[in-house]
Amino acid sequence: MRLTVYTDYALRVLMYLALREEQLATIAEIAESYKISRNHLMKVAHQLGVAGFVETVRGRGGGLRLAKPIGAIGLGEVVRYTEPDMAIVSCFEPVGEPCAIQSCCVLKRALKTARDAFLEVLDGYTLNDLIQPGGRLTGLLGISPVNGATSAEPLP
């Protein structure tokens, strides 16, 4: 089983924002820290906003921040949102291709059990768990504390 780059980037964005705590971060900062595409991150950040994980702030000094507390963002929830097609084999929904052995297939059941166990493990982790140890991660990502609050307003 392999997660998409989209999910990888979504988790990275959330981790970065969690490390920034209440401070705003820009797509450019996140892209530079991870050395990944700004264009891809813009799409990911937009969808994270639609899902209610991220809040976008406009205006001078605007950017992104988490819309929920870090302990309230579950890893399983994020993966389910960013990986809507968890069909490991073609007979799983939503693909649902016909199969000659479907009526007595144990493979499908075994793979479904494995997929469900994978998601159950992820459900045991929150964004807070992913950012430990915070000090080392902030150093690796070049995140420095920013003093002072922003006067920017959230988007409606």
Side-chain angles (χ1 to χ4, degrees):
M1 179 167 199
R2 184 178 195 153
L3 298 177
T4 61
V5 171
Y6 184 87
T7 297
D8 178 27
Y9 286 7
L11 293 170
R12 290 187 201 204
V13 167
L14 293 172
M15 289 171 63
Y16 190 95
L17 296 177
L19 290 166
R20 292 293 300 252
E21 297 175 12
E22 293 298 313
Q23 300 169 10
L24 296 173
T26 66
I27 296 291
E29 292 169 348
I30 299 168
E32 176 61 30
S33 289
Y34 287 117
K35 308 290 187 243
I36 56 180
S37 165
R38 287 168 121 186
N39 290 336
H40 286 97
L41 282 185
M42 287 175 58
K43 294 173 191 173
V44 169
H46 173 73
Q47 288 302 313
L48 290 172
V50 170
F53 295 116
V54 171
E55 177 181 43
T56 305
V57 178
R58 284 194 184 168
R60 184 180 170 147
L64 306 170
R65 67 177 161 223
L66 293 177
K68 299 179 180 183
I70 59 175
I73 299 176
L75 187 54
E77 178 186 13
V78 175
V79 170
R80 282 180 186 88
Y81 179 77
T82 58
E83 296 283 340
D85 179 8
M86 294 290 286
I88 297 173
V89 290
S90 61
C91 60
F92 276 32
E93 293 296 329
V95 181
E97 287 185 11
C99 177
I101 63 169
Q102 189 166 355
S103 64
C104 66
C105 183
V106 177
L107 176 61
K108 181 177 179 178
R109 185 174 18 162
L111 292 174
K112 181 186 180 308
T113 301
R115 180 196 62 194
D116 293 349
F118 172 76
L119 291 169
E120 184 178 334
V121 169
L122 295 181
D123 286 337
Y125 289 87
T126 68
L127 187 54
N128 188 49
D129 298 317
L130 297 182
I131 62 167
Q132 304 304 325
R136 288 190 59 203
L137 288 174
T138 56
L140 290 170
L141 293 172
I143 298 172
S144 58
V146 178
N147 295 326
T150 179
S151 61
E153 294 297 319
L155 289 172

